[in-house]
Amino acid sequence: MTKYVFITGGVASGLGKGITAASLGRLLASRGYRVTMLKFDPYVNVDAGTMNPHQHGEVFVTEDGAETDMDLGHYERFLDADLGRDNNTTTGRIYGSVIQRERRGEYLGATVQIIPHVTNEIKDEIRRVAESSGADVLIVEVGGTVGDIEGLPFLEAIRQFRRQVGEQNCLYVHVSLVPYLPTSGELKTKPTQHSVRELRSIGIQPDVIVCRTPLPLPASVREKIALFCDVEPEAVIEALDAETIYEVPLILERQGLGRLVTRALGLPDREPDLGEWHEIVRRLKHPEHSVRIALVGKYMGVEDSYVSIVEALRHGGIAHNTRVDAVKVDSEDLEALSEEALRERLRPFDGILVCPGFGRRGVEGKVRAIRYAREHGVPFFGVCYGMQWAVVEFARHVCGMERANTTEVDPETPYPVIDLLPEQKAVRDKGGTMRLGSYPCQVVPGTHAYEAYGTSVVYERHRHRYEVNNTLLPELVARGLRVSGIYPEKNLVEIIELPDHPWFLGTQFHAEYKSRPTRPHPLYRAFVRAALRYAQRRTAALSIQEGARWGS
């Protein structure tokens, strides 16, 4: 029978429930248990696809084309497993299912209410994921913070769930904050006490409390939390701030969380195999080299707007024992700079990655960054929209196609080198209607892409409406643009390169979605290697110049 772990959060958002859930999944998987994850998001959107990254962080796309909460990316990276649309459910989706059932007459004339109809739908979703996955343990993260009105149906549902599956098959983990007040020189437990009291007021008694804290918890603080929150002292888990998120499973294991959970669920507490994870953390904390990568994009107000790209770069760094400093550069800021100021802004970087996005804001800044990378031999990686603007830049400045553009920005451009997919032209709804999910890509031998992949057919995840316009492609190819990957069924461009450049590559797909710390994505691994070589060449050139200056 599947065991269930429910993870809730209190005091404030952004405490790291998702990382805690993913880390627990890693600890259980390292003991040989089959683990899967489910994220409940209380917002009324049907999915995350139409949400602004400034408000919600990035949208993560699964193999089956679901546009999901970014926590699913953490789940996949920590578990090294592919998840799908069933692993992320929103209030909008739950209510949509209930309304459809009502319209079909499935409630037999009953007055449809939050309890039992909505809560039953939530519980059915939990059971569906457990049964379809065949997992030993299903970890369910309830998004938001205890006390949020929109999260109440989910909390009520998981309260009821324990009664139905039995206490020995269900565990509640509450993630809370124990802040440090410099004025009094104390760690304060009151926020956690109030958060747990709020949780208990709706009938949920947490079994484990994970305390986010900047300082180690003294025994007296642990005992106080245990006393006021009615848990055992060993069930008060200290979650110190970590240098890297990949250290969190090791921190929680040292705190005994893995052993505590398996014992509470009646599972044999096997010895965890975390050797590979220790090596990942060692490389991240003690790298031999370092590179600086400019992330050029427009969603710069939120730390998590490009989280999968940042993590994929870190994974590439793990492969080369290299620290990757990813520095966000607002593409709008680049638009107003003089040529000299632009060079000064971009000169410190060993690689330039132009991020995905939509719309016209900041695009000319992206064009300027791409041109700088192309003309100065700086390793370049364009992701989705970044690749499309690399094609636009090449058309304008190499092929002489003045005013070349994407029809997304300029429908009247004389050179629509990027155009809407034919099947998208009649689409009016925005949600869930793009080219989404995994598609095959045929990789051309003798290219940077083939060197990275080492195989001729790969499958990558997509999220876009526009493509390279095949009508204008021959002229671009004639002037030196190389197509190194295509979608064979429709002959669509998937990867472009410049053969006379040290490393200049763009992808229509999002390679970062499939990168894992244990298996860095081949293209991100190759990009970091190119950036490292560029940095080493530059250092060597500076040393020669310095030697010549002193020699004279």
Side-chain angles (χ1 to χ4, degrees):
M1 180 180 180
T2 300
K3 307 287 186 175
Y4 300 89
V5 179
F6 295 101
I7 297 184
T8 58
V11 181
S13 61
L15 288 183
K17 289 195 309 301
I19 298 298
T20 302
S23 297
L24 177 57
R26 178 72 262 161
L27 296 182
L28 294 173
S30 72
R31 287 168 162 80
Y33 292 109
R34 294 169 298 168
V35 180
T36 194
M37 316 285 293
L38 172 59
K39 173 71 184 293
F40 282 136
D41 279 308
Y43 47 73
V44 184
N45 306 63
V46 173
D47 59 34
T50 58
M51 298 175 72
N52 191 318
H54 279 301
Q55 295 183 17
H56 192 255
E58 77 164 15
V59 175
F60 186 81
V61 177
T62 58
E63 284 286 294
D64 59 3
E67 296 174 287
T68 71
D69 182 82
M70 68 179 185
D71 278 335
L72 265 75
H74 292 312
Y75 300 165
E76 288 202 354
R77 288 186 281 270
F78 278 63
L79 289 179
D80 193 7
D82 292 334
L83 302 177
R85 66 180 67 253
D86 290 340
N87 299 96
N88 187 204
T89 296
T90 68
T91 292
R93 185 168 161 185
I94 292 292
Y95 275 71
S97 296
V98 170
I99 290 169
Q100 288 174 8
R101 287 176 183 269
E102 187 274 332
R103 292 290 85 187
R104 291 194 297 263
E106 294 184 21
Y107 297 124
L108 302 176
T111 300
V112 179
Q113 298 175 294
I114 302 299
I115 302 171
H117 303 98
V118 171
T119 52
N120 282 350
E121 187 68 29
I122 293 169
K123 290 184 291 183
D124 288 346
E125 188 75 5
I126 296 170
R127 293 189 189 92
R128 280 194 292 268
V129 173
E131 291 169 4
S132 64
S133 67
D136 298 314
V137 182
L138 169 59
I139 299 174
V140 182
E141 178 193 350
V142 180
T145 305
V146 171
D148 295 343
I149 190 169
E150 59 265 31
L152 288 175
F154 293 99
L155 295 176
E156 172 61 20
I158 68 172
R159 181 196 69 78
Q160 297 174 14
F161 199 83
R162 186 175 214 169
R163 291 181 60 252
Q164 295 173 1
V165 299
E167 290 190 9
Q168 73 280 10
N169 297 313
C170 181
L171 189 77
Y172 297 123
V173 177
H174 189 58
V175 181
S176 188
L177 177 68
V178 179
Y180 174 75
L181 293 187
T183 52
S184 63
E186 292 178 304
L187 289 166
K188 289 299 190 180
T189 65
K190 195 65 71 178
T192 292
Q193 292 179 45
H194 281 293
S195 179
V196 171
R197 186 171 66 183
E198 181 77 22
L199 195 59
R200 292 170 72 180
S201 72
I202 57 177
I204 296 175
Q205 167 62 51
D207 302 292
V208 179
I209 301 174
V210 176
C211 299
R212 285 298 311 277
T213 173
L215 298 173
L217 297 179
S220 60
V221 172
R222 285 179 186 265
E223 290 167 3
K224 186 175 182 180
I225 292 172
L227 176 65
F228 281 91
C229 298
D230 198 21
V231 298
E232 296 296 326
E234 60 266 26
V236 179
I237 302 295
E238 173 188 281
L240 286 166
D241 297 341
E243 289 183 46
T244 165
I245 59 172
Y246 300 111
E247 191 178 9
V248 175
L250 304 182
I251 292 172
L252 297 180
E253 178 62 23
R254 287 196 295 269
Q255 287 287 308
L257 181 62
R259 182 178 64 255
L260 188 69
V261 170
T262 53
R263 187 175 64 207
L265 293 175
L267 297 170
D269 183 25
R270 305 163 181 165
E271 190 67 24
D273 180 5
L274 291 167
E276 185 177 31
W277 214 257
H278 278 284
E279 177 60 17
I280 288 168
V281 172
R282 186 196 68 77
R283 288 186 172 220
L284 285 167
K285 295 177 70 172
H286 306 288
E288 295 179 3
H289 317 286
S290 66
V291 295
R292 298 188 78 213
I293 304 295
L295 294 187
V296 181
K298 66 178 184 178
Y299 302 121
M300 295 302 170
V302 176
E303 185 66 27
D304 295 325
S305 51
Y306 301 113
V307 63
S308 287
I309 288 175
V310 172
E311 294 307 320
L313 289 170
R314 288 194 179 119
H315 303 162
I318 291 169
H320 300 291
N321 213 350
T322 297
R323 183 181 72 248
V324 178
D325 295 323
V327 180
K328 291 183 177 180
V329 177
D330 195 318
S331 57
E332 281 191 286
D333 293 344
L334 299 181
E335 293 180 341
L337 297 180
S338 66
E339 287 300 320
E340 180 59 31
L342 180 75
R343 287 193 295 271
E344 288 302 311
R345 183 73 179 90
L346 296 178
R347 184 178 289 130
F349 297 108
D350 305 307
I352 294 174
L353 188 151
V354 174
C355 299
F358 300 93
R360 67 174 62 246
R361 184 169 62 84
V363 296
E364 294 304 326
K366 292 183 178 183
V367 169
R368 297 190 76 189
I370 294 164
R371 186 174 189 178
Y372 177 88
R374 180 177 59 81
E375 294 180 345
H376 290 81
V378 181
F380 169 81
F381 195 179
V383 179
C384 195
Y385 207 39
M387 176 272 239
Q388 293 178 359
W389 283 100
V391 173
V392 171
E393 190 281 326
F394 188 86
R396 289 180 185 176
H397 302 128
V398 177
C399 301
M401 297 180 181
E402 189 177 350
R403 288 185 55 217
N405 215 316
T406 167
T407 54
E408 180 175 358
V409 171
D410 181 6
E412 305 303 322
T413 174
Y415 299 105
V417 290
I418 306 295
D419 200 5
L420 197 63
L421 286 161
E423 59 267 29
Q424 287 284 326
K425 292 187 177 180
V427 172
R428 293 294 175 264
D429 289 347
K430 296 298 183 185
T433 57
M434 288 186 278
R435 185 181 180 216
L436 293 165
S438 182
Y439 288 86
C441 171
Q442 187 171 322
V443 185
V444 178
T447 62
H448 287 309
Y450 190 89
E451 180 185 1
Y453 280 115
T455 187
S456 58
V457 178
V458 296
Y459 288 81
E460 298 288 2
R461 301 181 192 180
H462 296 69
R463 184 176 184 250
H464 59 99
R465 298 185 193 278
Y466 292 77
E467 286 275 0
V468 175
N469 187 345
N470 282 340
T471 303
L472 295 172
L473 184 59
E475 188 170 348
L476 301 175
V477 171
R479 296 300 297 271
L481 187 76
R482 178 163 62 187
V483 177
S484 55
I486 63 166
Y487 173 44
E489 184 177 321
K490 295 189 175 181
N491 197 35
L492 298 176
V493 174
E494 293 280 358
I495 311 174
I496 59 101
E497 301 181 8
L498 294 181
D500 58 351
H501 189 284
W503 207 91
F504 189 105
L505 186 145
T507 64
Q508 184 58 79
F509 49 78
H510 292 258
E512 64 275 10
Y513 291 149
K514 299 187 74 167
S515 188
R516 313 281 165 78
T518 51
R519 292 185 294 116
H521 191 281
L523 294 183
Y524 279 88
R525 187 176 60 218
F527 177 53
V528 172
R529 181 179 65 227
L532 181 59
R533 289 175 177 172
Y534 180 85
Q536 291 170 339
R537 287 195 304 268
R538 185 157 61 171
T539 300
L542 288 173
S543 298
I544 293 171
Q545 290 176 9
E546 188 70 11
R549 186 170 70 84
W550 283 103
S552 61

